[in-house]
Amino acid sequence: YLFSGLVRCAECGCVMYRQNVPRKGSDRVDSYWRCKNGTRMKNSARCGNRFYVPDSILREGLSQALQRCVQDKEAFAREVQEQMLLQRENERPAEEAIAEKQRTLEKLLRQKQKYIDMYTNDILTMDELKTQTEKIGTQIEAVNQDLAMLSRDAKKMKKACRSIEECISEVDTFLKLENVDNVALRKILSYVEAKPDKTLSYILKIS
């Protein structure tokens, strides 16, 4: 099936399965996606998500999500970037945070050198020098760890920006295909989240 392994229950995280239901008084069959944990035996815990997702609704929602992606590329890119920034509360631009940490590191290194010079000039004893440099060393290590983390975050953001462009290109190619299958869909879609309030979220691959 087109959506095999791609529809998840937002309540319990279980992958949903497809069920075919014959229409009464007709030869037609309707297909629905439902949570596996919603049909467990009485003695087992059951999921509360009763959203049985029609296959036709899944397809229609996918088409709309992909069309929005390619029709307004700038808005799509902004939306993804905003979601990434919201993952870290009160996050400032990476460049600003890195610059501040680098200034702090330079200040600590100057202080360390100052204590070394004071020892050289017999102003501090060896024990006093050791005490002061150990304190500064701990601070320097913490700042270096923060810098490493911020640098990784900055690289991830740049990579994500490239990935957004690649994702839009993949979506554009997908929409031009005459016949689509599960393999082709998995190239652009991470999963679809089915929520108890009967809404769907299409999570595209941006990584």
Side-chain angles (χ1 to χ4, degrees):
Y1 302 120
L2 179 62
F3 289 96
S4 291
L6 292 172
V7 188
R8 295 184 188 176
C9 172
E11 187 78 7
C12 69
C14 179
V15 174
M16 303 177 84
Y17 73 98
R18 178 169 145 157
Q19 182 178 33
N20 296 325
V21 180
R23 283 191 186 181
K24 292 183 179 180
S26 172
D27 294 333
R28 297 187 62 180
V29 174
D30 293 322
S31 298
Y32 297 87
W33 294 81
R34 59 191 300 183
C35 179
K36 292 180 180 179
N37 290 333
T39 56
R40 288 186 172 181
M41 301 299 290
K42 291 182 179 180
N43 294 333
S44 301
R46 296 181 64 181
C47 176
N49 191 351
R50 297 293 181 267
F51 183 18
Y52 297 168
V53 189
D55 192 72
S56 58
I57 297 297
L58 266 178
R59 292 171 180 268
E60 181 182 345
L62 175 66
S63 177
Q64 292 175 354
L66 298 185
Q67 289 293 345
R68 285 197 302 270
C69 169
V70 297
Q71 287 174 0
D72 195 344
K73 299 176 182 179
E74 291 183 0
F76 173 72
R78 285 197 303 271
E79 181 181 344
V80 174
Q81 290 172 344
E82 287 171 2
Q83 290 174 354
M84 293 181 64
L85 290 173
L86 286 174
Q87 291 177 1
R88 297 189 64 189
E89 188 177 359
N90 299 325
E91 183 173 3
R92 292 175 298 169
E95 293 81 3
E96 178 184 339
I98 289 173
E100 181 177 326
K101 290 294 180 181
Q102 287 176 335
R103 288 193 295 269
T104 301
L105 180 60
E106 291 170 359
K107 181 179 178 181
L108 289 170
L109 290 172
R110 287 196 300 270
Q111 288 179 348
K112 183 178 180 180
Q113 184 59 49
K114 177 181 176 181
Y115 287 125
I116 293 173
D117 292 341
M118 291 174 70
Y119 169 75
T120 302
N121 294 322
D122 296 326
I123 298 174
L124 293 179
T125 65
M126 175 60 75
D127 288 340
E128 289 173 332
L129 174 64
K130 184 178 179 180
T131 299
Q132 296 298 333
T133 53
E134 282 181 353
K135 289 180 182 178
I136 293 177
T138 301
Q139 293 175 301
I140 289 175
E141 183 179 355
V143 172
N144 279 327
Q145 289 176 353
D146 289 343
L147 274 171
M149 182 186 68
L150 288 167
S151 296
R152 286 195 299 268
D153 289 347
K155 289 178 181 178
K156 285 180 182 178
M157 183 63 73
K158 289 180 181 178
K159 182 181 178 181
C161 292
R162 291 195 298 271
S163 296
I164 291 169
E165 296 174 0
E166 292 169 2
C167 176
I168 293 173
S169 177
E170 288 279 2
V171 169
D172 203 16
T173 301
F174 179 85
L175 290 172
K176 293 175 183 176
L177 295 175
E178 293 185 4
N179 298 308
V180 297
D181 55 20
N182 184 262
V183 174
L185 184 56
R186 285 177 179 272
K187 291 181 179 179
I188 61 170
L189 184 70
S190 290
Y191 60 91
V192 184
E193 190 175 61
K195 303 176 182 178
D197 63 0
K198 301 189 183 305
T199 58
L200 298 169
S201 294
Y202 292 82
I203 313 301
L204 299 180
K205 285 189 174 179
I206 311 292
S207 59

